[in-house]
Amino acid sequence: MKYFIIAIFSLLILGCGNDRVSNLTYKKNLSNYKYYVRTIAFQQKYQAESAIYQINSASNHFDKFREIQVKYSQPVNGKATNIDTAHWADTMSITPYVGNHIFNLDEDSYSQEPLYYNNFFYLFYLEKKVTHAQYAKIEQKINNDGLAKIKEIEEKLLSEHSNNTNVSASKQPVFRQAKNKKVECKVYTHGFDNPTYKGTNLEFFWDGECKDGYAYGLGREFVKSASLNSWSLAVYKDKHPVYYSNLDLTQNKLSEGIIDTKSDSITYMVVTTITESDNDINLTSQSGSMDKKNQETLTLMRSPFHTNYAIYKAYTNFQYVYQNYEFDTSSSLKQAIWMENQGIKNGWSIGLSKNDNALLTGLNVNNSFTPITLPNHYINKADTIVKDAMASHQKALIAQKKSQSIMSEYKNKICLDSVTVDFMSLAEYKDICNESKTQEQARKIKSKLERLTKQRIQALENLKYQQSQQQQERARQQALALEAARLNELKRHNQAKEKQAAISNFTEKMNNMIPKTYNVNVFTY
C-alpha cells in the first residue's frame, strides 16, 4: 500500500481543507506551541483501525508506529520514502478540524481513532510539543541543514549532467546507406544512433536525390523496423540535413520545427501527439527549445482538453518541473515547481496556495517534503524558468510555421498522381496528402472541446451554487448560534430574576414571621 505524499503535503503544509470543516475554530488556545507530528494516511478505515490495534498491542508504541509508517510509504528504488519523516505544525498551518485532533494529544502519544479527511483516514503521532521560543532554535538548524542538503543535491546532479554532456559531445555523426537507392546514398541517422535502437535491425529509405554518395536536397527519410515506423522531412546540403518535421507513426507524434544537424545553435520545435481510442480523441502539445551543446530542453506541455499546464526544464539526468493549477478547482495550489530525477522529487520545492497566496517552500528527499525557508534566489530561479519557457514557446511557434511551409513545398512535389515509389505501399507513402483524415481529426477535437466546455461551465455553475448554499448554511448556522446565545442569555436573565424574586419572597416571609414590637421604654419606672 502506498503512502500518499500529496495528501500529507496538503494536510500538514497547506492547511486547506474542504469547506465542511475549514470554518471550525480551535477548541482552546493552542497557538503558543509548535508540534512535531508523524502521519500515516490509509485508504480504508479498517486499515487505520488495524494499525491502532497493532500499536496498542506493541511494547514500544513509537517503534510500531514508525514500522507501520514505513509499510504504508511509497517505495522509491525499493526503499520506503518516509522513514523517520515527521513534520512541524501549528495552528497557522493546519485547519482546526485536523489541528484539534492532533494538538490535543499528549506528547509522545498517538491517535486512538482515525480521522477522515479529504478521502483518507489519518493516524497521528505527537512526538514533541515546544514553545515558539524553543522552536526558533530548532527551526534555524532545520533550515540550515535543509539548505545544505538542497545545495548538495543540486550540485551533484549538475555535475553528473556535465559529465554526461561531455560524453555526448564526443560522439560523431553516423550515416547509413538508404536501402532503396542503387547508387551510394547515405542518410544521417539522427536520433537512431543511440543504444536504445541497438539490435533492432533498422532500415533507412530516402525519396529525394543523391549527390557525392549522400542524400541531397528536399526529401523524406523513412526509418522502419519490427517495432518502429517513422519519417522525417529534411533538406540535405553538404552531407548534413536540416530537419523540419518528423512523424512517429507508432505513437502518432508529429514534431515540427527546425533542427540543423551541423549547428550547435538552440533549436525550437512543437510536438503534437494525437491518440484515438474507444470513440475518444486526445491531444497534447509540447513546445519549446533544445540546447544541443549543453544538452538541455525547455518545454511547455499542455492540452486543450485540460486546464492545467506544465513546464519542464530537463537535463540529461534530472529536471525542474512546474505545474500550473490555477483553473483546476480540485487543487488547493495555484502553482508549484520542484526538482526531480527518475520521477522522484529531490531538491528544492516551491508552491503557491490558492486561498491566501501563501508561499510554501521546502526540501524534497525521495518524495518526502520538509518545509524550510528558501532564499529569494530560488524564487527568482523558478520565475526565470517559467519566463524562459514562455519565450521558447513563442519561438517554437515561429519555427513550426517555417516547418509547415517546407511541408507544403514537399507536398506540391509528391502529391501528384504521376509520383510513385517501389520501397513501400503508395497509400502509406501518400498518407500525408490525405487532407480528409486531418479534417476528421479536427472535427473530433472541436466536438470534444465543445462538450468539455459545456461540462466545465456546468461544473462551475454547480460549484457557484454549492458555494452559495454553503454561505447560506453558514449564515443560517450563525443566525441559529446567535439566537441560541440570545435565548441562553434570556434564560439566564429570567433565571436570575426568578432567583431574585424567590429571595425577595423568602425575605418577606421571614419578615412576616418576626413578632411585631413597639417602642417601649423598659427603663421607665
Side-chain angles (χ1 to χ4, degrees):
M1 182 58 61
K2 292 185 178 181
Y3 175 83
F4 299 91
I5 298 296
I6 294 176
I8 299 303
F9 182 83
S10 64
L11 178 69
L12 292 179
I13 308 304
L14 302 183
C16 304
N18 51 50
D19 191 70
R20 180 177 66 84
V21 297
S22 61
N23 61 339
L24 296 179
T25 57
Y26 281 101
K27 295 177 182 177
K28 59 181 180 179
N29 184 12
L30 301 167
S31 62
N32 295 328
Y33 296 94
K34 295 284 286 189
Y35 305 83
Y36 197 54
V37 185
R38 290 180 180 273
T39 310
I40 312 175
F42 302 87
Q43 282 186 308
Q44 303 296 332
K45 185 178 182 180
Y46 77 87
Q47 296 169 327
E49 291 174 337
S50 173
I52 293 171
Y53 176 79
Q54 294 177 57
I55 297 167
N56 287 340
S57 303
S59 57
N60 189 311
H61 302 317
F62 178 72
D63 286 348
K64 176 56 70 172
F65 191 97
R66 284 181 56 208
E67 179 186 320
I68 296 171
Q69 191 179 21
V70 170
K71 179 182 176 182
Y72 282 85
S73 70
Q74 181 180 359
V76 175
N77 296 331
K79 296 180 180 179
T81 58
N82 62 327
I83 301 174
D84 291 331
T85 298
H87 302 270
W88 284 100
D90 58 24
T91 55
M92 298 298 292
S93 65
I94 298 185
T95 178
Y97 176 76
V98 179
N100 279 323
H101 184 92
I102 300 173
F103 303 152
N104 284 292
L105 292 171
D106 293 329
E107 198 171 47
D108 198 28
S109 69
Y110 53 93
S111 307
Q112 287 301 315
E113 59 181 31
L115 177 72
Y116 184 71
Y117 181 77
N118 280 359
N119 301 318
F120 292 95
F121 293 90
Y122 289 95
L123 294 187
F124 304 98
Y125 196 110
L126 181 58
E127 277 193 54
K128 300 174 186 175
K129 182 173 77 171
V130 299
T131 64
H132 284 280
Q134 292 171 321
Y135 176 72
K137 298 177 181 178
I138 299 171
E139 183 181 33
Q140 189 60 51
K141 186 178 186 308
I142 292 172
N143 227 68
N144 291 341
D145 291 348
L147 290 173
K149 186 65 177 178
I150 285 174
K151 184 178 179 182
E152 175 191 334
I153 291 171
E154 199 162 21
E155 286 182 350
K156 181 182 178 183
L157 290 172
L158 286 170
S159 177
E160 289 175 356
H161 165 71
S162 179
N163 293 334
N164 296 339
T165 302
N166 292 334
V167 172
S168 299
S170 64
K171 287 185 178 180
Q172 296 299 314
V174 178
F175 292 85
R176 292 273 297 273
Q177 171 67 21
K179 190 174 181 180
N180 61 311
K181 298 293 184 179
K182 294 180 181 179
V183 298
E184 187 177 14
C185 190
K186 294 178 181 179
V187 293
Y188 189 85
T189 60
H190 175 72
F192 297 105
D193 55 350
N194 62 61
T196 305
Y197 300 101
K198 188 175 182 179
T200 55
N201 297 319
L202 294 175
E203 294 181 333
F204 293 83
F205 304 88
W206 170 249
D207 71 348
E209 299 177 11
C210 304
K211 183 179 180 180
D212 299 330
Y214 291 89
Y216 179 77
L218 175 63
R220 264 194 300 172
E221 294 176 14
F222 297 86
V223 185
K224 292 179 176 290
S225 73
S227 59
L228 181 68
N229 186 9
S230 77
W231 57 253
S232 298
L233 181 66
V235 175
Y236 271 83
K237 184 179 180 181
D238 298 330
K239 301 181 183 180
H240 288 270
V242 175
Y243 289 104
Y244 290 97
S245 60
N246 167 271
L247 178 63
D248 182 342
L249 290 148
T250 311
Q251 301 181 53
N252 205 19
K253 182 184 292 184
L254 176 65
S255 304
E256 300 170 294
I258 304 172
I259 299 179
D260 187 345
T261 58
K262 203 172 183 179
S263 170
D264 282 336
S265 61
I266 296 175
T267 60
Y268 298 92
M269 186 161 287
V270 177
V271 180
T272 305
T273 304
I274 299 176
T275 56
E276 296 185 64
S277 61
D278 299 329
N279 297 319
D280 190 19
I281 189 166
N282 284 296
L283 181 152
T284 58
S285 172
Q286 302 173 62
S287 53
S289 60
M290 178 176 65
D291 184 340
K292 291 187 290 181
K293 183 177 181 181
N294 296 311
Q295 294 288 294
E296 299 173 16
T297 61
L298 193 54
T299 308
L300 167 66
M301 181 178 287
R302 56 185 181 155
S303 168
F305 304 138
H306 300 284
T307 56
N308 299 349
Y309 66 86
I311 289 170
Y312 301 90
K313 182 171 185 178
Y315 297 78
T316 55
N317 58 330
F318 79 101
Q319 61 185 352
Y320 299 96
V321 181
Y322 168 85
Q323 290 278 354
N324 187 291
Y325 311 102
E326 187 169 358
F327 300 105
D328 184 348
T329 55
S330 65
S331 174
S332 57
L333 284 176
K334 184 182 291 184
Q335 53 189 316
I337 186 169
W338 62 86
M339 293 175 61
E340 70 173 37
N341 62 312
Q342 299 179 359
I344 302 165
K345 292 181 181 179
N346 278 303
W348 57 269
S349 173
I350 302 171
L352 186 65
S353 172
K354 275 182 184 172
N355 287 356
D356 53 6
N357 278 332
L359 205 58
L360 314 164
T361 61
L363 160 69
N364 284 310
V365 177
N366 288 339
N367 285 343
S368 180
F369 181 84
T370 301
I372 64 172
T373 302
L374 296 178
N376 283 338
H377 71 263
Y378 287 102
I379 313 295
N380 296 337
K381 186 172 187 175
D383 189 50
T384 299
I385 290 172
V386 174
K387 287 180 178 178
D388 287 350
M390 292 304 180
S392 291
H393 163 68
Q394 293 299 324
K395 292 179 180 179
L397 295 180
I398 295 171
Q400 183 185 37
K401 287 183 179 180
K402 175 64 176 176
S403 163
Q404 291 170 349
S405 69
I406 299 296
M407 176 57 76
S408 294
E409 180 184 341
Y410 175 77
K411 284 183 178 181
N412 291 335
K413 177 182 174 183
I414 67 109
C415 292
L416 301 171
D417 292 341
S418 58
V419 176
T420 61
V421 293
D422 57 5
F423 59 88
M424 65 189 302
S425 74
L426 194 59
E428 182 182 355
Y429 178 70
K430 291 195 174 184
D431 187 60
I432 64 169
C433 305
N434 185 0
E435 296 295 336
S436 61
K437 180 180 177 181
T438 304
Q439 291 170 358
E440 177 60 16
Q441 285 183 333
R443 185 195 66 77
K444 290 180 179 179
I445 290 169
K446 182 181 178 182
S447 176
K448 183 173 181 178
L449 273 174
E450 289 174 349
R451 175 167 52 84
L452 289 176
T453 300
K454 289 179 181 177
Q455 290 175 358
R456 285 171 187 159
I457 291 172
Q458 185 61 51
L460 288 171
E461 288 295 328
N462 291 342
L463 180 62
K464 185 178 178 181
Y465 175 76
Q466 289 171 7
Q467 289 174 341
S468 175
Q469 291 294 100
Q470 288 166 356
Q471 287 174 354
Q472 291 178 24
E473 177 61 18
R474 281 197 295 269
R476 191 179 74 84
Q477 293 291 346
Q478 288 172 357
L480 286 174
L482 287 171
E483 182 62 17
R486 189 185 70 80
L487 290 174
N488 285 334
E489 178 61 21
L490 183 61
K491 184 178 178 181
R492 187 193 64 77
H493 179 70
N494 288 338
Q495 286 174 341
K497 286 181 69 177
E498 288 171 2
K499 184 177 179 182
Q500 183 62 40
I503 292 172
S504 298
N505 188 43
F506 175 76
T507 303
E508 184 179 351
K509 284 183 178 180
M510 290 298 293
N511 289 337
N512 289 336
M513 292 174 65
I514 298 173
K516 293 183 171 58
T517 58
Y518 299 94
N519 187 16
V520 177
N521 191 347
V522 297
F523 293 105
T524 301
Y525 295 93

